[in-house]
Amino acid sequence: MEKTLKNQNIEKEPSTFHRFIFWVLIPLLFALFLTLLITSIAGVNVFQRAKEIGEKVPVISSMIAGTAKDNLLEYEEKIVSLDAEIQNKNAQIDQLKSQIDKNETEKERFLLEKEQLEQTIDELRQMRDENKRAYKEIVSTYEAMAPKNAAPIILEMKDDEAVKVLSNIGTESLAKILEKMPPEQAAKYLEKLSAKTE
């Protein structure tokens, strides 16, 4: 028990650092906090006021002005470079617009050409169908004719046309027409017909 009493009697003296913290730093921070709280409630911007006061002090104002000038120059350079970039982008946009317009006009021209070609194809198909019908009518006319009348007409035709007509005539009519032709002419046409079928 004596030891505990001795320990209680021996008190350590706080160090000067502890005294500084307890007696100076903590009350100073508390006062600063209360001052900021009161000024913000009162509507005063403490930082703006400090800047204004700092501008009035010669050494601090030159530091602030130098930094502001440097920042201003940087901002001006950035503005100039951004303006140049905007102009480049606008020029690219204009080029792309003109290219789109050109492509649109080419597309319209191709569509018109396509329509004209389709019309031409339709007209040619109609002409082909009409020619086929007319040719079939001619062939049917030769088939309907008497072989003794058809043979001399076919002999007067060019060989290619005669072979074309003879190749489309039915076999019975063909045999009867060839019978009415001179043998050397009939042989010539039969030879050409067989060569055509091969």
Side-chain angles (χ1 to χ4, degrees), residues 142 145 149-157:
Y142 281 110
M145 287 174 82
N149 294 334
I153 295 172
I154 292 174
L155 287 172
E156 293 296 321
M157 291 182 177

Side-chain angles (χ1 to χ4, degrees), residues 125-159:
R125 282 182 181 156
Q126 288 174 356
M127 288 173 60
R128 182 191 65 194
D129 292 343
E130 288 175 11
N131 287 342
K132 280 184 180 180
R133 259 185 264 122
Y135 187 72
K136 284 182 182 179
E137 289 175 5
I138 291 171
V139 169
S140 63
T141 304
Y142 281 110
E143 286 179 342
M145 287 174 82
K148 68 178 180 176
N149 294 334
I153 295 172
I154 292 174
L155 287 172
E156 293 296 321
M157 291 182 177
K158 292 182 182 176
D159 287 347

Side-chain angles (χ1 to χ4, degrees), residues 1-191:
M1 186 131 138
E2 278 179 41
K3 285 186 180 180
T4 56
L5 285 176
K6 249 184 181 181
N7 286 340
Q8 288 175 356
N9 287 341
I10 302 172
E11 292 183 16
K12 284 189 172 180
E13 290 257 342
S15 68
T16 47
F17 180 69
H18 285 136
R19 277 189 221 150
F20 175 74
I21 290 174
F22 289 122
W23 293 102
V24 176
L25 189 61
I26 292 176
L28 183 64
L29 289 174
F30 185 71
L32 183 62
F33 173 73
L34 283 177
T35 305
L36 285 173
L37 183 67
I38 292 169
T39 54
S40 65
I41 291 172
V44 177
N45 188 347
V46 176
F47 300 108
Q48 182 66 29
R49 294 284 294 170
K51 186 177 177 185
E52 290 171 2
I53 292 170
E55 287 175 353
K56 291 178 183 176
V57 176
V59 174
I60 297 174
S61 67
S62 66
M63 288 173 43
I64 293 173
T67 306
K69 286 179 184 176
D70 291 341
N71 288 341
L72 184 62
L73 288 174
E74 285 179 29
Y75 289 138
E76 286 177 357
E77 288 175 5
K78 284 182 182 180
I79 288 171
V80 168
S81 67
L82 289 175
D83 281 341
E85 190 173 339
I86 287 171
Q87 289 175 353
N88 287 338
K89 296 294 180 186
N90 285 338
Q92 288 177 351
I93 288 170
D94 291 340
Q95 287 177 346
L96 291 174
K97 282 181 182 178
S98 66
Q99 189 173 2
I100 288 172
D101 292 341
K102 180 182 173 186
N103 289 343
E104 287 294 323
T105 55
E106 283 184 18
K107 179 181 173 184
E108 290 174 6
R109 185 173 55 87
F110 287 138
L111 287 174
L112 286 174
E113 284 181 18
K114 179 184 173 189
E115 288 177 11
Q116 290 173 350
L117 289 173
E118 286 175 350
Q119 286 177 346
T120 306
I121 288 171
D122 288 341
E123 290 171 2
L124 290 173
R125 282 182 181 156
Q126 288 174 356
M127 288 173 60
R128 182 191 65 194
D129 292 343
E130 288 175 11
N131 287 342
K132 280 184 180 180
R133 259 185 264 122
Y135 187 72
K136 284 182 182 179
E137 289 175 5
I138 291 171
V139 169
S140 63
T141 304
Y142 281 110
E143 286 179 342
M145 287 174 82
K148 68 178 180 176
N149 294 334
I153 295 172
I154 292 174
L155 287 172
E156 293 296 321
M157 291 182 177
K158 292 182 182 176
D159 287 347
D160 292 339
E161 291 177 16
V163 170
K164 190 175 178 184
V165 169
L166 290 172
S167 65
N168 288 305
I169 292 177
T171 53
E172 281 183 36
S173 298
L174 177 64
K176 290 178 183 177
I177 291 172
L178 288 174
E179 282 177 5
K180 300 296 181 187
M181 287 184 182
E184 60 273 354
Q185 292 291 332
K188 179 177 79 169
Y189 286 133
L190 279 175
E191 185 180 327

